Amino acid sequence: MNEYDSNRIYDLTSAIGFIKTEKKEEADCFVLNTCHIREKATEKVYHEIGRLKKNFRSSKKPLVIVSGCVAQAESAEIIKREPYIDMVVGPQSYHKIGDLILKYERNKKKINETEFDVIEKFDKLTKISNLQNKISSYLTIQEGCDKFCNFCVVPYTRGPEYSRPFQQIIDEAKDLINNGTKEITLLGQNVNAYNYLDNNKSYKLSSLIRELNNFKKLKRIRFTTSHPSDMTEDLIDCYKDCNKLMPFIHLPVQSGSDKILKLMNRKHNKKFYLSIVEKLKKINEKIKFSSDFIVGYPEESEIDFKETVDLIKRVGFVNSYSFIFSPRPGTPADAKKLNDLTINQARLKELQNILEGFQIQNNKNYLKKKCKVLVENKLNSGKQYFGRTEYMTPVIIQSSKCVPGEIIDVEITSFNQKNLFGLCDNNQELVA
Ligand code: SF4
């Protein structure tokens, strides 16, 4: 979502005359769009500011703006601690960034803008064209979360669930498609909770997928990130008859232990999660899954950990993200006693080995077979292209004739854990 937000911040600043530069030393303004999910996010901002200060020691100080979830969480505190920062803008206020920059240029007074103006934000963003011209683009449809998992900061930094108006999203999708986009990933912190009410009619994520599926020039549809308890029947049904909806779902489970899921306040248990996986597989056997895992959550025992391992083996996730639990300030889990770090590290290693095994096996299964790849761009060598399979696996294609935006058959000749390598036409084999 930060990538989407950063692109929109660029659209908003270009509306007041700013242009992007690759030469950092020439910039008049820096926007650090931050994420608060990972550990030490705030410290990373201070380090980045330290680097800026050093680089601009003997030249004119640029305007320095910190936006995103760290800005929201730290608010005025961040300016107090680091006076080199001129402005703090929360993720639900960045639509004002153009006006705020102009205000700062007039008054030269520090600005702290961290209100939750999410409706106003999307009204404003709708009036400024989305200038993204990528083959694969993101489109935010929903923000915030009402689930309040005990380890997560999102409900505090992004605020309560908000679903953008249906037509607003469709109009933005049309802009993207007219700019050359062939694949749209619908975004939300809780994307499958999307629910927009208009004149007593309810529009769900499934309504959006079905509408987008009709756009002739659009080739692929994805969505992320989903919560298991919002995988409703209407959404599952889309996998039966929406041919552009890719058979790959990122469905975070976090743990396979019912005790830990309860302590996390995840609102689903292992049995329910597996029943969703089963329903999806039944409706479309091609579907594969990825997930997020938190290892070493407070009170996780060896038995709880083995429950997670069991779940991984039953689902066979093809790609996942896994981390040792680290507390986020202000969340209920922050007050809990941490588990032994050595045990946590050993568990993470074991879990990641199993996940890697599934990922490698999945890639190996492609060997000497043809797969459908959406070509995204040419690589620097000039004789290779980058694309992705239906399952998001990166593919390096040996060819001098690919056309970005086309879906082509690629014969896979080698692989490593994360990538596939292959041929189209009669070009030479690539070596991993
Ligand atoms: S559902 Fe996702 S975004 Fe919402 S609180 Fe839980 S982990 Fe955070």
Side-chain angles (χ1 to χ4, degrees):
M1 187 169 283
N2 268 23
E3 197 176 320
Y4 174 86
D5 289 347
S6 297
N7 284 327
R8 301 305 338 249
I9 287 172
Y10 171 65
D11 296 340
L12 290 154
T13 49
S14 28
I16 57 159
F18 280 79
I19 52 167
K20 261 186 208 164
T21 177
E22 297 301 323
K23 294 181 184 164
K24 281 191 183 177
E25 65 284 1
E26 287 180 359
D28 304 302
C29 172
F30 282 87
V31 182
L32 276 76
N33 194 24
T34 59
C35 173
H36 205 248
I37 289 285
R38 298 281 168 86
E39 204 179 358
K40 301 194 181 98
T42 312
E43 292 313 308
K44 281 180 193 152
V45 174
Y46 292 121
H47 287 152
E48 195 59 41
I49 302 287
R51 270 194 284 272
L52 274 183
K53 275 162 99 173
K54 216 166 137 193
N55 292 345
F56 282 82
R57 199 164 26 205
S58 48
S59 49
K60 188 177 168 249
K61 178 190 174 308
L63 173 64
V64 177
I65 302 172
V66 177
S67 62
C69 290
V70 171
Q72 190 68 41
E74 299 289 315
S75 195
E77 197 51 40
I78 205 164
I79 301 185
K80 222 190 304 167
R81 183 168 152 190
E82 179 46 270
Y84 202 72
I85 299 168
D86 302 300
M87 200 187 297
V88 170
V89 186
Q92 305 305 20
S93 318
Y94 74 73
H95 57 290
K96 299 176 188 164
I97 203 162
D99 292 339
L100 294 172
I101 290 174
L102 297 175
K103 188 174 163 191
Y104 183 84
E105 284 180 346
R106 281 193 309 273
N107 304 335
K108 296 281 183 280
K109 278 199 184 135
K110 308 257 181 212
I111 294 176
N112 175 22
E113 189 67 51
T114 45
E115 293 300 309
F116 284 107
D117 294 331
V118 67
I119 299 175
E120 192 190 305
K121 176 173 94 171
F122 284 112
D123 281 349
K124 171 85 189 240
L125 289 180
T126 306
K127 293 186 187 103
I128 301 231
S129 291
N130 188 328
L131 300 174
Q132 270 189 89
N133 58 357
K134 288 183 173 171
I135 298 298
S136 177
S137 297
Y138 292 123
L139 204 177
T140 292
I141 66 164
Q142 180 277 344
E143 281 203 29
C145 183
D146 296 338
K147 301 273 191 301
F148 288 91
C149 299
N150 282 338
F151 54 82
C152 181
V153 286
V154 166
Y156 311 99
T157 55
R158 291 268 171 176
E161 278 175 13
Y162 167 76
S163 296
R164 291 180 70 185
F166 180 81
Q167 196 54 45
Q168 214 181 70
I169 297 165
I170 296 301
D171 289 345
E172 191 170 329
K174 282 182 189 161
D175 274 351
L176 292 171
I177 295 164
N178 289 337
N179 280 347
T181 287
K182 303 291 177 197
E183 173 181 271
I184 289 182
T185 303
L186 301 171
L187 292 180
Q189 271 88 34
N190 218 329
V191 73
N192 53 347
Y194 176 83
N195 187 16
Y196 177 68
L197 286 171
D198 189 20
N199 283 331
N200 291 331
K201 188 167 178 207
S202 161
Y203 294 89
K204 305 278 207 177
L205 175 58
S206 59
S207 330
L208 280 168
I209 291 168
R210 289 188 181 281
E211 185 75 12
L212 291 179
N213 202 58
N214 293 328
F215 286 117
K216 216 169 154 205
K217 288 189 190 159
L218 186 67
K219 296 182 176 171
R220 288 181 171 181
I221 305 166
R222 304 181 188 275
F223 60 87
T224 197
T225 293
S226 300
H227 192 282
S229 65
D230 290 316
M231 287 304 300
T232 47
E233 299 292 336
D234 56 307
L235 181 56
I236 292 173
D237 266 351
C238 288
Y239 286 93
K240 192 163 54 182
D241 44 21
C242 293
N243 62 328
K244 294 177 185 173
L245 181 60
M246 291 298 98
F248 179 60
I249 307 176
H250 183 64
L251 194 60
V253 63
Q254 310 298 358
S255 168
S257 151
D258 285 349
K259 181 189 101 187
I260 296 298
L261 288 169
K262 200 158 182 213
L263 287 171
M264 288 176 167
N265 192 28
R266 279 292 291 175
K267 301 179 175 68
H268 63 81
N269 59 22
K270 183 177 182 180
K271 192 173 165 202
F272 179 79
Y273 186 90
L274 288 169
S275 74
I276 296 293
V277 169
E278 200 183 325
K279 274 186 196 170
L280 284 158
K281 282 268 187 201
K282 209 167 162 188
I283 215 150
N284 182 344
E285 60 178 16
K286 276 176 72 187
I287 293 179
K288 294 179 186 176
F289 299 87
S290 70
S291 184
D292 298 335
F293 296 93
I294 296 175
V295 174
Y297 194 76
E299 296 183 43
E300 182 190 78
S301 66
E302 193 56 26
I303 294 171
D304 297 318
F305 174 67
K306 292 291 177 219
E307 288 285 346
T308 305
V309 170
D310 171 68
L311 183 125
I312 291 172
K313 289 182 177 167
R314 284 164 80 169
V315 179
F317 298 97
V318 294
N319 184 19
S320 289
Y321 304 91
S322 49
F323 306 93
I324 291 176
F325 169 76
S326 65
R328 293 292 169 272
T331 59
D334 186 27
K336 301 279 179 199
K337 185 173 172 278
L338 294 179
N339 288 4
D340 182 286
L341 183 61
T342 320
I343 295 176
N344 287 346
Q345 284 167 337
R347 284 181 189 163
L348 182 70
K349 198 161 178 242
E350 184 181 339
L351 183 127
Q352 289 184 334
N353 281 341
I354 298 167
L355 289 169
E356 276 172 30
F358 280 111
Q359 194 174 18
I360 289 169
Q361 184 56 51
N362 182 57
N363 286 354
K364 195 175 174 187
N365 290 342
Y366 284 102
L367 210 52
K368 298 198 170 73
K369 289 187 192 138
K370 283 195 171 174
C371 67
K372 300 268 176 223
V373 176
L374 173 62
V375 182
E376 292 190 23
N377 56 283
K378 198 173 194 171
L379 296 175
N380 288 340
S381 68
K383 287 186 182 152
Q384 292 174 357
Y385 285 79
F386 174 85
R388 285 185 191 271
T389 66
E390 294 182 328
Y391 300 97
M392 290 284 285
T393 310
V395 186
I396 312 297
I397 312 153
Q398 184 82 350
S399 169
S400 49
K401 300 178 202 156
C402 289
V403 179
E406 281 192 353
I407 294 179
I408 56 168
D409 283 322
V410 175
E411 189 183 339
I412 301 305
T413 52
S414 59
F415 67 95
N416 60 24
Q417 188 197 328
K418 297 217 164 102
N419 303 295
L420 298 171
F421 301 83
L423 299 169
C424 84
D425 312 319
N426 296 318
N427 291 293
Q428 274 183 352
E429 184 169 327
L430 264 184
V431 179

